[in-house]
Amino acid sequence: MIRVILAEDQSMIRGALASLLSLEPDIEVVGEAATGDEAVVVATATRPDVALLDIEMPGSDGITAAGEIRREVPGCHVMILTTFARPGYLRRAMEAGASAFLVKDSPARELAAAIRRVLAGERVIDPGLAAAALSAGPNPLSPREREVLSAAVDGSTINDIAARLHLSEGTVRNYLSSAIQKTGARNRIEAVQKAQAQGWL
């Protein structure tokens, strides 16, 4: 049996996925989680063959959880299943060690087939998203620029961001200015929007 855990914050979708996968003769759902943090705990406890993770969840997101699960349970293959077909998400997921990246509007029968392919050592990526990721190019933001821009998402002041990240206000301004320039934005609000739309944050 292929042992699978599911991490999805919407309980109805999680339940539907669990029911669908349970119909497969060779797949067993051995754990469920509603947050990224919980997914890591469940994966560590159950040692599954495959962890199926949503990206947008409370606490740590699915991509962060993917990296942690790969470290804690090296034998577990991570698959990302998301509504958000953003090229930057695909790149970040692959960097975190994900073996598959599928969008939720794929036919249900393809999910079980993808699980089997991943277990056989293949990498499975939604074709449309793969093409978009190639044309979009790499994330131009440095890790520090991403961190500062992420801290600006809620409209925090320069002073607030500096205090939270233990940086000087001048350093925060420099990182924001660089991020604005790299995203081709007019201000930091627009830079945040553009970076989120690409999946860079």
Side-chain angles (χ1 to χ4, degrees):
M1 292 291 280
I2 302 170
R3 293 161 51 78
V4 176
I5 67 161
L6 300 172
E8 160 67 59
D9 63 322
Q10 296 180 41
S11 56
M12 190 178 290
I13 293 175
R14 191 172 67 247
L17 284 170
S19 297
L20 280 169
L21 291 175
S22 295
L23 295 173
E24 300 294 326
D26 58 341
I27 295 175
E28 180 187 9
V29 177
V30 296
E32 297 182 25
T35 69
D37 300 316
E38 194 181 332
V40 177
V41 173
V42 171
T44 305
T46 60
R47 318 299 285 186
D49 300 305
V50 175
L52 193 58
L53 311 176
D54 185 25
I55 287 183
E56 301 277 326
M57 291 186 287
S60 67
D61 62 26
I63 293 174
T64 304
E68 290 180 28
I69 289 171
R70 292 289 297 138
R71 280 190 296 277
E72 296 294 325
V73 192
C76 179
H77 299 271
V78 174
M79 298 176 65
I80 301 290
L81 184 65
T82 183
T83 308
F84 304 100
R86 296 174 181 160
Y89 278 167
L90 172 57
R91 284 184 180 277
R92 286 174 50 215
M94 295 298 114
E95 287 166 7
S99 300
F101 197 106
L102 303 169
V103 289
K104 286 181 184 172
D105 60 3
S106 303
R109 67 181 178 278
E110 287 183 12
L111 180 57
I115 288 172
R116 294 182 190 105
R117 287 173 61 194
V118 161
L119 216 60
E122 291 184 49
R123 185 166 267 188
V124 183
I125 298 168
D126 178 81
L129 189 57
L134 285 172
S135 63
N139 183 345
L141 302 173
S142 72
R144 202 53 139 160
E145 287 163 352
R146 285 201 303 266
E147 184 181 28
V148 171
L149 206 54
S150 294
V153 166
D154 60 2
S156 294
T157 65
I158 300 283
N159 189 29
D160 290 340
I161 296 169
R164 198 179 322 153
L165 300 181
H166 308 292
L167 298 170
S168 71
E169 291 183 31
T171 300
V172 169
R173 281 194 188 88
N174 288 342
Y175 282 127
L176 284 174
S177 174
S178 178
I180 289 166
Q181 184 180 359
K182 287 181 178 179
T183 56
R186 290 169 296 184
N187 53 50
R188 66 178 168 149
I189 295 167
E190 192 175 296
V192 165
Q193 291 168 344
K194 286 190 170 194
Q196 286 179 325
Q198 287 292 334
W200 291 335
L201 293 184

